[in-house]
Amino acid sequence: MAKRRRLETPSSADLDRIEAQFRSETPERPALGRSIAPIAQVAADSAALAATDSIEVRESRVRAQADAERLRDAQERGLLIVELPIDQIDESAMVRDRMVMSEEDMQELRLSIAAHGLRLPIEVYEIETRDGQGPRYGLLSGYRRLHAVRALHDLTHAEKHATIRALIRPRAEADDAFVAMVEENEVREELSHFERGRIAVIAANQGAFANTEDAVNKLFASGSKAKRSKVRSFALIFEELGDMLRFPESLTERRGLRLAAALRNGAESRLRQALSSRVPEDVEQEWALMEPVLQSLDHAPRAPGRGGARDQNPRASAGLTR
């Protein structure tokens, strides 16, 4: 039978020797940041901070994150009002539907902005720029307001008129942009009959719509069938006589419809000849040049066929179906 070994309490020297041996055989633990992935380091640091944060601090952090997300969402949806330098805005990026602006109305708008500031922001969208150029914005709505602020800046050179409040809308398709512009002007200050027809033709020619008929139907979708029919008539006037008329925006509805009827009956060349005979000084003189042609057509027999002479006028027909 083996003799049992008697256990003895180790001395201080023995304990020091054992500890030294243990340390020599166990590798030193590397620093956390050099041994694990960065994401693990971030998680560890966040956990350490979270453990020491109070409930109030954590709640504040959550609220700040939620606010940042709401701000980013508002910016992406074009709901955030910003101050933009007026020289960064290009009002010619889109063909405007408004042809004339009353100086009396513009003076009233300038005085209002000077006294009370701009109450309603304009709407813009970002446009592409070359490398090295600053940001540029195309004007979507607010043509009169932008011109009023620019006039005030030219007059006063005041810093407050060097910028303008704006909503940066998401870049829209061409047809949506034209619809938005027309709707804004129809609500704030109704367009003239000729301006409606003109913008329908231009929008179609720029490829925003399939043809003039499609442009009228979509630009004035909220209007009645009779209104859209009138717009088509003035669109025809713009197509065939727009380069000759000096005061087209002053055409009344009655005169415009009569003129469109004459164009559908093949009177374009005769009307152009009449308009080229003299330069009118006002709308009445311009109408007086055309009226003899219209009167002669009123008493002339209609050409055979459902469409009359319009059936032989491919250009007039193309204006509405192109």
Side-chain angles (χ1 to χ4, degrees):
M1 182 175 180
K3 185 177 180 180
R4 292 185 180 179
R5 184 178 180 182
R6 184 178 179 180
L7 297 178
E8 296 179 357
T9 302
S11 64
S12 297
D14 292 334
L15 291 176
D16 291 340
R17 179 177 53 77
I18 294 172
E19 184 176 356
Q21 184 178 0
F22 175 79
R23 287 185 176 179
S24 66
E25 295 177 355
T26 304
E28 185 176 328
R29 186 178 181 181
L32 184 59
R34 296 193 300 269
S35 63
I36 63 173
I39 189 63
Q41 178 70 61
V42 172
D45 293 343
S46 299
L49 290 174
T52 60
D53 284 346
S54 65
I55 295 177
E56 291 78 8
V57 171
R58 291 198 294 270
E59 289 178 347
S60 177
R61 188 182 297 116
V62 170
R63 284 195 299 269
Q65 183 178 358
D67 289 342
E69 290 176 354
R70 282 194 293 269
L71 183 63
R72 184 166 53 251
D73 179 66
Q75 186 174 12
E76 290 175 352
R77 294 168 59 191
L79 303 177
L80 190 64
I81 296 178
V82 297
E83 289 281 344
L84 293 179
I86 56 177
D87 58 3
Q88 290 183 0
I89 301 171
D90 183 5
E91 70 271 25
S92 63
M94 283 180 57
V95 178
R96 313 311 304 176
D97 53 354
R98 179 72 63 194
M99 293 181 60
V100 294
M101 294 185 291
S102 165
E103 178 54 33
E104 182 180 352
D105 291 343
M106 289 301 297
Q107 177 67 10
E108 182 179 348
L109 180 58
R110 288 193 291 267
L111 292 174
S112 174
I113 294 174
H116 308 291
L118 187 67
R119 299 183 184 276
L120 184 66
I122 65 173
E123 294 179 292
V124 299
Y125 60 94
E126 290 190 61
I127 56 180
E128 295 180 359
T129 58
R130 296 179 180 177
D131 294 340
Q133 293 183 338
R136 297 286 296 173
Y137 302 91
L139 182 66
L140 186 58
S141 69
Y143 186 77
R144 295 169 68 250
R145 280 163 278 161
L146 177 60
H147 270 262
V149 171
R150 280 183 170 163
L152 288 171
H153 185 258
D154 291 341
L155 181 65
T156 65
H157 300 286
E159 189 65 25
K160 66 178 181 179
H161 297 313
T163 61
I164 188 170
R165 292 178 184 174
L167 289 165
I168 303 177
R169 298 297 193 188
R171 187 172 181 85
E173 295 296 331
D175 55 350
D176 293 333
F178 276 110
V179 170
M181 176 178 63
V182 169
E183 286 180 345
E184 195 264 352
N185 278 333
E186 285 283 295
V187 170
R188 293 186 56 79
E189 184 176 349
E190 193 169 274
L191 298 170
S192 70
H193 298 296
F194 187 80
E195 285 172 331
R196 294 191 188 107
R198 169 183 170 273
I199 195 61
V201 174
I202 291 175
N205 288 344
Q206 290 191 349
F209 301 94
N211 48 47
T212 303
E213 179 80 15
D214 183 48
V216 171
N217 290 337
K218 291 180 178 176
L219 289 174
F220 304 96
S222 59
S224 64
K225 184 177 180 180
K227 179 178 181 177
R228 290 194 295 272
S229 176
K230 294 171 187 174
V231 174
R232 285 190 286 271
S233 292
F234 279 86
L236 177 61
I237 295 172
F238 171 73
E239 286 188 303
E240 300 201 350
L241 298 178
D243 60 326
M244 298 288 293
L245 295 173
R246 293 175 59 85
F247 307 96
E249 70 281 354
S250 298
L251 275 173
T252 64
E253 178 183 316
R254 182 176 180 180
R255 286 180 173 181
L257 294 179
R258 186 181 175 195
L259 184 57
L263 290 171
R264 292 189 183 100
N265 282 297
E268 178 191 355
S269 59
R270 294 175 60 187
L271 286 168
R272 295 181 70 87
Q273 184 178 2
L275 288 168
S276 63
S277 64
R278 184 161 59 94
V279 178
E281 296 181 0
D282 55 37
V283 64
E284 293 303 326
Q285 286 188 11
E286 187 168 67
W287 183 253
L289 293 175
M290 297 185 291
E291 193 164 26
V293 177
L294 302 178
Q295 288 179 346
S296 67
L297 288 173
D298 289 341
H299 301 292
R302 296 237 177 223
R306 291 170 52 190
R310 177 171 166 76
D311 293 335
Q312 284 81 46
N313 188 346
R315 182 180 176 188
S317 179
L320 297 181
T321 59
R322 186 169 54 208

